[in-house]
Amino acid sequence: MSGDNRFVVVANRLPVDLHTAPDGTRTWSPSPGGLVAALSPVLENQQGCWVGWPGVSDEAPEPFRTDAGVLLHPVRLTEADFEGFYEGFSNASLWPLYHDLIVTPVYHREWWAAYRDVNLRFAQEVAEVAAEGATVWVQDYQLQLVPGILRQLRPDLRIGFFLHIPFPSPDLYRQLPWREEIIRGLMGADLIGFHLESNARNFLDLCAVTEGLTVEGTAGTRRIDAHVVTHDGHRVAVGAFPISIDPGSLGEGEEGGVDKLRAELGNPETVILGVDRLDYTKGILQRLLAFEELLESEALDPASTVLMQVATPSRERIEQYQMARSQVEEAVGRINGTFGAMGRPVVHYLHQSLPKNELRTYYEAADVMLVTPFKDGMNLVAKEYVACHGDGSGALVLSEFAGAAVELREANLCNPFDLESIKRAILTAVQGLSTTPDVMKDRMLAMHRQVAEYDVNRWADAFLTSLEETR
C-alpha cells in the first residue's frame, strides 16, 4: 500500500536533533551537516517527505512536519543496529575503503548482516510512504542496498542514488568481500550521481572490469553521457553532479560581530581558521603541525597570528576517531605551551558545533581558511567560506584531494600529505593578502561567482532533471 508522497528523500539521519530539557520536555531542532544544508531547501520547495533515523536508539516518534512543512518519517533502529550498521560496516568498513585506506578497513560478517538488515528496513519504510510513480532520492554510502530492494518492492518508483563521499579505484574496491551485493543494490537505481567525473569513472570501470557489466559512454558533469546495462537489461544512468551550498542558509552575521571576535582574539593581524568534523580524513593534525613549524621557523609571528580550529564532535565511540581527537588536542596543547602566553593562546580550539550565524561570523573574521582533507567528496566548508567573502577579502588554502578543488581552482592548493606543501600554501595566502591584494581579491571574487552561480538548487535541479529524463 503506497502513501501520498510524490517526492521522498531517504538518508541515514533525519535532519533534526532531539533535545531533552531538565523537566523532561523534548524538542527537535535542525541539525548541522552538509547533507542537511544541501537537501533541506529542496524538500521545503517540494513539500516532500524525508525518511531517516531520528538519532535516538530504540525509539521512533510518530511522523511529524517541520516548520517548513517537510514531513519527517522516522525509522527505528536498536542500539545493536546502530553499532553494527553505522559504527561498524558504514564507518569502520566502507568509510576508510572509500577514502583510499587512510586507515585500514575492518570487515566483519556480523556488521555486513546488520547493514543488509537495516537497508531492508529503510526500503520497506520508503515503499510504504511513496506514492504511485513517486521519485525517491536515496542518499549516501550507508544505504547502497536500498535502490535494489526498492526496485523489487516498488518497480513503479523512479529511483535516484547520490554518493556524497569519494568512490575509490576498482583495484581498492575489489577487496570488499560483499562488492557484488553492493553493486547489485546500486543497480536498482535509475540514476547514480557522484561529485566528480573521476569518481564516476572509477565506478564505471568497476562495473565493466570487475562485474562484467556493459558500460556505454563516458561520465559527464551535470548531464548523462554514460549508462550501465545490467544482466536483465535495466539501464542505469551515471553522472557527476558537484554538490554546493545554499548561501542564504548561513544567515546574517551579528552586527559588529567580526570586530568583537577579533578583539576577543587580541586583535591579531592575521586570523587563520579551520572548521571540520573531527575526522581522521580531514587532515586537522597535519595543518596544526604545519602551523607549528611556521611558528618555529619564525615565518609566522605568534604575537600577530592566531589559528582558530573548530572541530565538531563526530563518531566518538570509534577508536580511530578517539585517536584523532587525542592527537589533535595534544598538538593544540603543545603549540600553546610553546608559543602562547597566559591569557593569549596562539591556537583557539573548540570541540563543539556552532550555530550557522555564529559560524558565519567566524568565516567573515578569518583572513585565511584552511581546508586540508586527505580525501573529501566535495567539502562544503570551503564553499561556505567563499560565500561569506563576496567583497573579495580573504584567502582559501585547499587540499588538492578535496572535491571542491575541481571548481575552486583559484584557491591556494596544497598536498595535505606534505607538510612543506601546506606550509607554502599558508605562507602564500598570508603574504599575498598584503603584497598582492588585488590578485588575491580577483581570485576570491572568481570563486565567489562560482559558488553563487552553482548553488545547491542548481545541483538538485541538475540531478532531478536528469533523473526525470531516465523515464
Side-chain angles (χ1 to χ4, degrees):
M1 179 176 161
S2 63
D4 58 0
N5 298 285
R6 300 294 306 169
F7 180 67
V8 180
V9 167
V10 52
N12 172 58
R13 277 295 304 272
L14 287 176
V16 292
D17 286 328
L18 176 63
H19 299 278
T20 304
D23 63 359
T25 303
R26 294 182 164 199
T27 56
W28 298 89
S29 64
S31 58
L35 180 60
V36 174
L39 289 179
S40 292
V42 184
L43 276 162
E44 290 166 13
N45 291 340
Q46 303 213 24
Q47 293 292 290
C49 174
W50 184 308
V51 176
W53 177 56
V56 182
S57 297
D58 299 303
E59 184 175 335
E62 290 299 312
F64 62 98
R65 292 192 180 275
T66 66
D67 293 340
V70 177
L71 176 64
L72 302 183
H73 185 90
V75 177
R76 181 188 180 95
L77 295 184
T78 66
E79 182 64 21
D81 291 331
F82 178 74
E83 291 175 0
F85 153 73
Y86 184 75
E87 292 184 328
F89 195 76
S90 293
N91 290 309
S93 302
L94 293 178
W95 181 267
L97 173 63
Y98 283 44
H99 287 84
D100 291 352
L101 315 187
I102 292 172
V103 302
T104 303
V106 180
Y107 304 120
H108 288 315
R109 283 174 289 186
E110 57 269 29
W111 289 355
W112 164 249
Y115 183 85
R116 184 186 57 213
D117 292 346
V118 169
N119 271 247
L120 173 61
R121 207 171 314 159
F122 270 81
Q124 289 170 333
E125 297 284 352
V126 174
E128 290 184 8
V129 302
E132 184 75 20
T135 294
V136 176
W137 196 357
V138 184
Q139 307 291 329
D140 224 1
Y141 65 104
Q142 301 97 341
L143 302 176
Q144 293 175 101
L145 302 182
V146 168
I149 301 170
L150 267 183
R151 179 66 56 197
Q152 297 178 31
L153 295 176
R154 293 285 305 276
D156 59 292
L157 298 176
R158 184 65 26 182
I159 304 169
F161 177 87
F162 195 88
L163 184 69
H164 291 271
I165 64 176
F167 194 86
S169 71
D171 284 345
L172 292 182
Y173 200 86
R174 286 169 58 194
Q175 71 175 249
L176 180 64
W178 304 279
R179 67 194 191 203
E180 291 89 354
E181 290 92 331
I182 296 284
I183 298 302
R184 279 202 300 271
L186 293 173
M187 287 296 103
D190 296 290
L191 170 61
I192 301 173
F194 301 87
H195 287 308
L196 306 178
E197 289 183 15
S198 58
N199 298 155
R201 286 195 299 268
N202 284 344
F203 177 75
L204 293 171
D205 289 346
L206 176 71
C207 290
V209 177
T210 304
E211 301 306 313
L213 298 172
T214 300
V215 172
E216 301 172 348
T218 56
T221 298
R222 301 187 183 92
R223 66 182 189 277
I224 298 304
D225 293 330
H227 291 83
V228 179
V229 183
T230 66
H231 297 305
D232 63 0
H234 178 56
R235 288 170 60 82
V236 182
V238 176
F241 302 86
I243 198 171
S244 194
I245 64 169
D246 173 19
S249 70
L250 294 168
E252 295 293 331
E254 176 189 355
E255 186 173 351
V258 170
D259 291 339
K260 179 182 176 183
L261 176 58
R262 291 185 73 107
E264 291 172 350
L265 297 173
N267 286 316
E269 293 178 16
T270 305
V271 175
I272 303 173
L273 174 65
V275 176
D276 312 82
R277 281 190 311 106
L278 215 171
D279 189 299
Y280 56 79
T281 65
K282 299 299 184 181
I284 301 173
L285 176 62
Q286 281 61 35
R287 82 177 60 136
L288 288 170
L289 296 177
F291 182 65
E292 182 177 29
E293 291 189 6
L294 289 170
L295 295 173
E296 287 174 344
S297 66
E298 300 183 353
L300 291 179
D301 182 0
S304 61
T305 307
V306 299
L307 170 62
M308 295 190 296
Q309 177 62 57
V310 179
T312 303
S314 178
R315 303 166 189 166
E316 296 193 281
R317 301 198 312 189
I318 299 176
E319 181 181 357
Q320 291 93 340
Y321 288 78
Q322 295 170 351
M323 187 181 304
R325 178 180 178 181
S326 176
Q327 292 172 335
V328 164
E329 294 181 353
E330 179 184 341
V332 170
R334 185 180 64 249
I335 295 169
N336 282 332
T338 304
F339 300 101
M342 286 297 181
R344 190 183 56 78
V346 69
V347 178
H348 297 256
Y349 172 77
L350 288 178
H351 183 240
Q352 58 188 255
S353 299
L354 294 178
K356 283 289 186 182
N357 61 335
E358 188 173 345
L359 192 55
R360 183 183 184 98
T361 300
Y362 278 59
Y363 286 144
E364 291 177 341
D367 301 295
V368 177
M369 184 82 207
L370 302 185
V371 180
T372 58
F374 293 125
K375 190 79 171 180
D376 226 335
M378 177 54 66
N379 196 291
L380 298 180
V381 164
K383 294 190 173 185
E384 288 178 344
Y385 177 76
V386 168
C388 292
H389 287 263
D391 60 353
S393 62
L396 174 64
V397 172
L398 181 61
S399 164
E400 61 189 75
F401 301 115
V406 173
E407 295 180 294
L408 304 181
R409 298 175 182 175
E410 293 80 8
N412 298 276
L413 297 180
C414 69
N415 176 359
F417 295 92
D418 178 4
L419 285 185
E420 295 301 324
S421 177
I422 302 173
K423 288 160 62 178
R424 283 195 301 271
I426 293 174
L427 273 184
T428 299
V430 171
Q431 295 171 353
L433 289 172
S434 58
T435 59
T436 57
D438 291 341
V439 173
M440 299 297 283
K441 181 176 182 178
D442 288 344
R443 291 169 65 178
M444 181 58 71
L445 289 175
M447 291 189 288
H448 186 269
R449 286 192 295 271
Q450 163 71 30
V451 172
E453 181 176 358
Y454 292 101
D455 64 2
V456 66
N457 292 312
R458 289 285 295 272
W459 167 72
D461 288 346
F463 185 92
L464 293 174
T465 298
S466 296
L467 179 57
E468 184 63 26
E469 288 173 356
T470 66
R471 292 185 187 273

